[in-house]
Amino acid sequence: METVPQYPVDQSTVRPNLPEKYYLDHFHEFLEMIESLYTPVLEAEHRNLLNDFRSLSTDARCLYVRMLNRQGRIFDRGRFSYAEIGDIPATLKELEAKAFARSLVTRDFPAWLPVITRDRLLRLLSLQCSADRYRRSWPKSRLLSFALEALDPNHPSSHELMTRFVLQGRCEEISYLLFLYFGRREEGLSRFTLRDLGVVRTARFKRQFKPRFTDRETALSSWFYCRKLHQVQSLPQDELRHLAAEVPQWPTAVDSDADILRQQALYRLGEQAERYGDIDVAEHIYGHAEGWPSSERLARLAYARGERDNVAAMLSEMLDSPACEEELLFAQDYQARKYGRKRTALITDLLRSGPERGIDESYRDIPEEGVANWYRARGARVYYSENRLWRRLFGVIFWEMLFNRENAALHNDFEKRPRDLDNGTFYRRHEADIEQVLQSFDDVHGLHRRLLNTVAREYGKANSIFRWAPDILDMLRDCLFALPTRGLAEMMRRMAQDFRGNCSGYPDLLVIENSSARFVEVKAEGDQLRRNQLKQITALERAGIPVAVDRIKWSLDPDQSYVVVDLSLIHI
């Protein structure tokens, strides 16, 4: 008998067995956090939901959470089958009595039709429409479009089928609670399950969290714009126009979080209006936004309409008081090209000014590696720096303020990046301590020792600022000792003041030759510099840090090794 070899089991791949009602435990954990941190920002309907949930039987609680964690909000009653839940019909009646579920009504018809199967849709069409009005072979999307126009929600066949379905109730109330917990629109608690299965690592920075919102007005303001941002993702043209007409009545954003959501919602709504060709509507929407990128779209649309004087005034205002670096760069470039008789953009000028590097064609799919090897062949040390270097340096330098202090802006186990980095308040909250850290760049050896200690103490802790890697100490050491430390401090200050705007767009390579260093952005034929890359290159130059754009010219290296396979010798 053949002996089957026994290999050790990799414990990292073994998934734990979850308790039977694990999802209910997750929901109770979620509610405990809501009640301990967010009671002051709840309204009457949210408190009523919590009280009513407590009054449910265990089976009813389980079924409600099962619905919450499933995709969609309309469910076929006959497809509820859970071994741990007893009498499903009786349990549904209990949920309906407390408004956690309800039967479908006529107004639910447009949302219900896409949920039913193709066979059921065809059955309804056959009962209500003559066969010559549609084709059974149509794709479901076309059948749905026809059905929405042709079917009668009050027809007995529609009514009979709709009674087999149930709608999850109190969706707005539970969505608000999920928003308080996660800080964004979330459909359920699947992340808790992934955490318990070991698929998602939690941050493990601290166990005492502080509320995301401390007053109701601020919470409701952010929630309003969170819903608007979700609503504008894809709108039919008529609904878009209706929503655009409401924009002047939108409430003022109370804080920076709500304002970020407001600006995103307005910009995306304006983008959709442009795609539909509703330029007047788009300009109306952009006009209610403040700052870039809506300001850029307004200027470009106005220029296309021939409003040169108005655009000139808009550009002057941007130059005098730019909302951000991107807006300043746009205004400088657009003014020069449209009013200064300059034919090419700043991005084009920078790209054309870079030196050409002859790189073998074998690197066409990996141009950065080709340029890196070109430098290595000349004795240089090269790192693939791009955004990872700056994120690593920022994360390690400010680790204590970001994650370990009592006032670190983390609100649950799933958050790996402090909230104040996203809303732009990190520098303001920690200005004195940040400036003290930046002064330490004058003592590069002492700073290096601090980095060593932080990496040794915190290595491996999950966060969404940077990824730990075995070469992190080598990269940070060479960065500190080869680059101007005052320039590095200035770049760290920019990231602290506006992390969202300065966490990406950096050059591809860090090249170190003879104890001096420079950054290199690699561009192959046909590649273009992006606006955020121009912004970071400009910032590096202002900080006194050398940077260049290397252009690739593909060539054939006679010394390059190739492998030739004669397919004629392969027998199939």
Side-chain angles (χ1 to χ4, degrees), residues 232 235-248 250 265-289 294 297-298 301-302 305 307:
V232 305
L235 284 172
Q237 190 170 7
D238 56 340
E239 291 185 25
L240 184 145
R241 289 175 176 172
H242 178 74
L243 187 59
E246 297 177 352
V247 166
W250 284 6
L266 289 169
Y267 181 68
R268 292 184 184 178
L269 189 62
E271 274 189 317
Q272 286 206 42
E274 284 195 70
R275 282 196 288 271
Y276 285 127
D278 284 344
I279 304 304
D280 291 340
V281 173
E283 288 186 317
H284 162 75
I285 295 166
Y286 291 139
H288 285 84
S294 292
R297 294 308 309 153
L298 269 177
L301 291 174
R305 293 160 74 107
E307 300 175 9

Side-chain angles (χ1 to χ4, degrees), residues 98-113:
K98 294 286 188 178
F100 284 101
R102 66 168 175 83
S103 299
L104 301 186
V105 294
T106 302
R107 69 174 182 273
D108 301 317
F109 190 77
W112 168 72
L113 271 184

Side-chain angles (χ1 to χ4, degrees), residues 219-251:
L220 292 175
S221 180
S222 285
W223 174 231
F224 176 88
Y225 284 109
C226 178
R227 284 181 295 169
K228 289 301 178 188
L229 183 58
H230 177 76
Q231 186 180 356
V232 305
Q233 297 302 321
S234 56
L235 284 172
Q237 190 170 7
D238 56 340
E239 291 185 25
L240 184 145
R241 289 175 176 172
H242 178 74
L243 187 59
E246 297 177 352
V247 166
Q249 283 73 52
W250 284 6

